[in-house]
Amino acid sequence: MISSISLKNFKTFDDEAFKIAPLTLVMGLNGMGKSSILQSLLLLKQNYENENLDKESKFMRLEGDYVSLEDSQSLCYQWAEDRTVEIGLTINNNINQIWQMDAETDDLIDLPTVVSDDNYDIRSIFADGFAFIGADRLMPDKYYPSISSKTYKSTLGIKGELTPAYLHKALNSNEDIAIEGMKSTKAIDNQLVNNVNAWMSEIMNIDMTATTEQPDPQNIKLKYTIDNSSIAESFSPLQVGFGLTYTLPVITELLIAKKNDLVLIENPEAHLHPSAQVKLGEMIGRCVANGVQVIVETHSDHIINGVRLARKNKILSLDSDVNLIFVERKILNGVTISTHNDVYITDDGKFSEPLPDCFNTWTDTLVKLI
């Protein structure tokens, strides 16, 4: 597992190191630099797939399917004196590697790169066990692709666009969930599709079933059956709320992830009711408790509250299981830098220290109303 990420001259960060827990929640106001933390890993992932991460590689490609960082000028910290950009990783608290990129020349897409060591153990975290579900997820549609039109190696697709096709194949092959501990209390067995539907029903608080069919070799059709206790009706994704379709790849990824896999999720709360966000937060906590490392970028205090419940209910048993990284910007000597604070969740579900003011909006608004 990743235990720390260090960034130097990387976008908004001058020189910052982040503790990465089994579950890491990245939070902060808009434009503070939250996404940059995930983008550093996505940059390494897409260059791993291009075979640019080993010591023999001479460059790092900034443009790709996982992330587009434009060019050397956009990548490098605005006030950097030495225009060397660094990404450092530590895994299992003792294996380190640094990638140094030369951003001295503007407008470069492929940056000259030096690798500190050649640690296969570090590069291997970007192999098949790496998954990313972006904020820009699959939209409700009539059909979904049966195979990827992209060249990246992503089981469900970066937008989750391959989720219907994956579920279709999983049902035909009778695939089980990857970790038995992720079985839903509403599921009758360990079959993946049954558990996806059970978790969807539990999180959405409705009895529902997602089914698939393949009308032709290129397309998969997704349907939702909603059981309102009087009659069960089937609908296309275009006829139901965005929340079902946006959440489907997140839930599926949490159920196919294996122990020691690394899963990155942007804004899992998108289009979800607050009560569903809390339950999804609890599910993420359970996935981490079963050995999967998850990094989440979120604006949702409800997702956090779901994780807090997972701590209080001993699903996540240690303070060190969860780290909340609050990213903010400060002005020092006339220069703007992004920095951060770490907050942990204690055994009783409380925070180790008061949250920054920007996360007290609900309380502040109630005080004004009263």
Side-chain angles (χ1 to χ4, degrees), residues 203 269 271-280 300-303:
I203 289 170
E269 68 271 12
H271 297 291
L272 282 183
H273 185 275
S275 64
Q277 294 178 36
V278 172
K279 292 176 181 176
L280 182 56
S300 171
D301 50 356
H302 304 295
I303 291 287

Side-chain angles (χ1 to χ4, degrees), residues 57 75 81 83 104 135 158 182 200 207 213 215 246 343:
S57 177
L75 177 71
E81 295 181 3
R83 295 183 62 81
E104 186 67 36
I158 293 172
M182 289 302 295
M200 287 282 286
D207 289 329
E213 59 183 71
Y246 252 61
V343 178

Side-chain angles (χ1 to χ4, degrees), residues 47-165:
N47 279 277
Y48 171 85
E49 293 194 358
N50 291 329
E51 299 183 351
N52 293 335
L53 283 197
D54 57 43
K55 201 171 181 66
E56 283 68 39
S57 177
K58 301 301 181 183
F59 66 92
M60 187 83 72
R61 180 160 295 164
L62 301 185
E63 291 286 303
D65 291 322
Y66 284 92
V67 65
S68 293
L69 297 176
E70 295 191 64
D71 54 33
S72 52
Q73 187 173 6
S74 299
L75 177 71
C76 188
Y77 175 59
Q78 183 177 0
W79 288 279
E81 295 181 3
D82 174 10
R83 295 183 62 81
T84 300
V85 180
E86 289 186 1
I87 302 175
L89 292 185
T90 302
I91 65 170
N92 301 326
N93 293 310
N94 62 9
I95 302 176
N96 305 287
Q97 187 157 310
I98 297 174
W99 289 268
Q100 294 182 327
M101 293 160 274
D102 182 358
E104 186 67 36
T105 304
D106 289 342
D107 302 323
L108 289 183
I109 295 176
D110 295 336
L111 295 193
T113 302
V114 175
V115 184
S116 62
D117 290 300
D118 194 12
N119 289 317
Y120 174 78
D121 287 340
I122 286 210
R123 297 202 313 277
S124 65
I125 66 174
F126 299 107
D128 294 339
F130 182 106
F132 170 59
I133 302 294
D136 181 18
R137 294 198 279 283
L138 78 163
M139 301 285 286
D141 209 341
K142 188 175 181 180
Y143 297 107
Y144 295 97
S146 60
I147 58 173
S148 178
S149 60
K150 305 286 187 179
T151 59
Y152 57 71
K153 300 173 184 177
S154 176
T155 302
L156 300 183
I158 293 172
K159 296 184 177 182
E161 69 276 11
L162 296 178
T163 304

Side-chain angles (χ1 to χ4, degrees), residues 13-42:
F13 293 108
D14 172 30
D15 193 353
E16 202 80 2
F18 306 92
K19 174 180 170 54
I20 306 299
L23 173 54
T24 301
L25 300 163
V26 185
M27 304 186 68
L29 293 173
N30 297 107
M32 295 295 103
K34 301 183 304 298
S35 297
S36 297
I37 300 173
L38 274 66
Q39 287 173 349
S40 68
L41 296 176
L42 296 175

Side-chain angles (χ1 to χ4, degrees), residues 200-211:
M200 287 282 286
S201 296
E202 184 176 345
I203 289 170
M204 299 297 178
N205 199 29
I206 54 173
D207 289 329
M208 58 150 292
T209 304
T211 58

Side-chain angles (χ1 to χ4, degrees), residues 296-365:
V296 176
E297 180 190 348
T298 180
H299 290 280
S300 171
D301 50 356
H302 304 295
I303 291 287
I304 292 179
N305 285 339
V307 175
R308 293 172 69 187
L309 288 173
R311 277 288 285 124
K312 185 171 184 178
N313 294 330
K314 309 306 180 188
I315 295 172
L316 294 166
S317 57
L318 302 173
D319 288 359
S320 58
D321 284 341
V322 186
N323 186 29
L324 280 66
I325 297 175
F326 292 95
V327 184
E328 57 185 345
R329 286 196 179 184
K330 296 181 178 179
I331 298 178
L332 297 175
N333 301 320
V335 174
T336 303
I337 64 168
S338 288
T339 183
H340 78 285
N341 293 317
D342 292 321
V343 178
Y344 303 95
I345 300 175
T346 60
D347 287 345
D348 55 3
K350 295 181 180 179
F351 298 113
S352 61
E353 58 185 78
L355 296 185
D357 291 340
C358 60
F359 293 97
N360 296 325
T361 303
W362 191 83
T363 303
D364 291 345
T365 303

